[in-house]
Each structure stands twice: as C-alpha cells, then as structure tokens.
Amino acid sequence: GRAYTAVADDVYAIYYNPAGLATLDRKEFGTTYSRLLTGLSDGSNLQNSFLGYAHPLDDGRQGTLGVAWNYFTLDSLYRESSFLTSYGRRMGREDRADPIFMGATFKLLNRSMGGVSAAANAIGPTGVATGNSDPVLKNASKMNYDADLGLLWRLQPRWTLGLSLQHALEPDVAFSREDKDKLGRNIKFGGAFKTPFSTLTGDLDLLAAPDRSLDKVFSVGLEKWLPTLLHGSFGVRGAL
C-alpha cells in the first residue's frame, strides 16, 4: 500500500528509501513486472518493470551499493526509463542502541514518445491538421538527472521511523524548451512496528501535484508471515 518508507529492508529500498540499503548484510536481487489497468476498451497495454541489485561492502560494515532500472511503457507510444545508483550507510558507532541509517539515490531519467501521427501532422488551435510537423513531438525525447534522499532511525529493535525526499533536484521533464513540467519534491514520513512474523506500517505522503498544490496521502499496511514445517513460509499483505 506504498507504506514502505520505514520498512525499506531489501533491494527495493533503492526506489523507496535508499537509507534502507544500509540494513542489508548480504547480496540481494529483485525483479518485478506489473501489467497496469488491464482490460481497457482501446486495448492499450500499460506495463512497468523493475530490476534491482544490492551489494553490501564488507558485509555491510562499509555500507551498501545498489543499482536498478525502472521501465514504464504505453505500447509503442510512450516510454519512461530510470537508471538508479544508490548508496546507504549506518551513521555513528556500531554499538549504538538506536542506529541511524542514511542513503542517497542518483537517477538518470529518460522519457520519449513513439510513433504518434501528430508528430508529422500537427493539429492546430482549431482542431484541424496543419500538414506541418509538431514542434514538440518531432523531437520527443528528454533526459534529466535527479536524486532522492533517505533516512531511517531504529528507535528500538521493533520500532523504526523513516523519512524520504523524492525528486530533490526537481528536474524539468517537458519535451519543449518553451514549456515547464517539473517533478515536484515529494516528502514521505513513515513508521513501522516489526515482529519476527508480522509488520504494521504507516506512511504520510506529501506529494507535489502538477498544479504545484500538495496532495496528502495516508496509507496503512499490514504484513503477516505464516511459517510451515515442510513448505517454507507464506506471506499475506493488506493495505488501506
């Protein structure tokens, strides 16, 4: 349910909160494929793919490096690619009872338009085709740099607080130089209570909307693991 800011204890921390990489003590690889909004009447195929790898240095004592690739497409019409490089590390003494972890992610963003008919035959203000190429869509590709920052504070063995700042550089992803389309900074506060077989977590997200207003989203998630003697463990998750 997106309430992951204070959990972030696996390779997906590269995306959600890079500070969580510092909690890893072994290598991790993760991949996800999602088919979004299936059954659309026009047959559109929206999908998102993620590929990530985390590599602790000196069993995590020197921090953890992470690399990832996130890819979104709408058929051949539109694409977004993000290449992410992350680093997370524990701050202060190793014997500290309430350790603090910090992390950062550097991102290379790319978005592009595919075979759109309007690129070669622009539609004018009256809704009539002009026969000229569209000045924005004819070179519909944009590359930007961005960064995320993260913080985790393990108050007690079972209690963790998290803070994440996304799009710290507020990159302008508009195709045209005459336009502005900045990714606003998103601030996420999270808390989590963990036991060996369950996790209760909550997030308050302050998300910058396209019109520069602020959307507020509160999410609560619950995860329960059911161990068995013969068949490993099964996980159940729910969120509101």
Side-chain angles (χ1 to χ4, degrees), residues 148-166:
D148 298 342
L149 303 174
L151 178 71
L152 277 181
W153 182 16
R154 190 168 289 164
L155 293 171
Q156 296 179 358
R158 294 185 178 182
W159 289 95
T160 305
L161 297 179
L163 173 65
S164 175
L165 173 63
Q166 292 183 328

Side-chain angles (χ1 to χ4, degrees), residues 18-176:
L21 290 173
T23 65
L24 303 184
D25 55 10
R26 62 180 180 178
K27 304 171 186 176
E28 284 197 11
F29 170 80
T31 184
T32 303
Y33 173 82
S34 302
R35 180 79 179 269
L36 310 174
L37 303 177
T38 59
L40 294 175
S41 59
D42 64 355
S44 296
N45 176 16
L46 291 88
Q47 66 89 23
N48 195 91
S49 302
F50 178 88
L51 207 65
Y53 173 72
H55 188 98
L57 305 175
D58 191 20
D59 295 327
R61 288 183 286 271
Q62 300 299 322
T64 299
L65 290 172
V67 292
W69 172 67
N70 195 62
Y71 185 60
F72 170 83
T73 64
L74 166 55
D75 293 317
S76 61
L77 298 179
Y78 179 76
R79 294 181 177 87
E80 289 182 2
S81 295
S82 302
F83 297 93
L84 304 90
T85 303
S86 302
Y87 178 73
R89 180 162 184 161
R90 179 173 180 155
M91 309 305 294
R93 304 189 313 272
E94 290 288 335
D95 59 348
R96 180 170 175 168
D98 57 338
I100 295 176
F101 308 95
M102 299 186 69
T105 296
F106 177 77
K107 300 185 290 187
L108 178 63
L109 310 177
N110 179 265
R111 67 196 298 238
S112 62
M113 297 288 289
V116 182
S117 59
N121 191 12
I123 305 299
T126 61
V128 178
T130 63
N132 300 317
S133 62
D134 187 287
V136 174
L137 299 182
K138 66 179 181 180
N139 294 313
S141 180
K142 183 74 171 182
M143 185 172 291
N144 292 91
Y145 302 101
D146 195 10
D148 298 342
L149 303 174
L151 178 71
L152 277 181
W153 182 16
R154 190 168 289 164
L155 293 171
Q156 296 179 358
R158 294 185 178 182
W159 289 95
T160 305
L161 297 179
L163 173 65
S164 175
L165 173 63
Q166 292 183 328
H167 308 312
L169 304 183
E170 290 192 297
D172 185 358
V173 297
F175 287 129
S176 172

Side-chain angles (χ1 to χ4, degrees), residues 194-209:
K194 303 178 69 175
T195 71
F197 299 110
S198 63
T199 301
L200 177 64
T201 180
D203 256 31
L204 173 61
D205 299 346
L206 306 179
L207 310 176

Side-chain angles (χ1 to χ4, degrees), residues 205-225:
D205 299 346
L206 306 179
L207 310 176
D211 63 357
R212 314 309 292 175
S213 63
L214 199 64
D215 292 338
K216 305 172 186 67
V217 181
F218 181 66
S219 306
V220 177
L222 176 65
E223 175 184 76
K224 179 68 176 179
W225 285 95

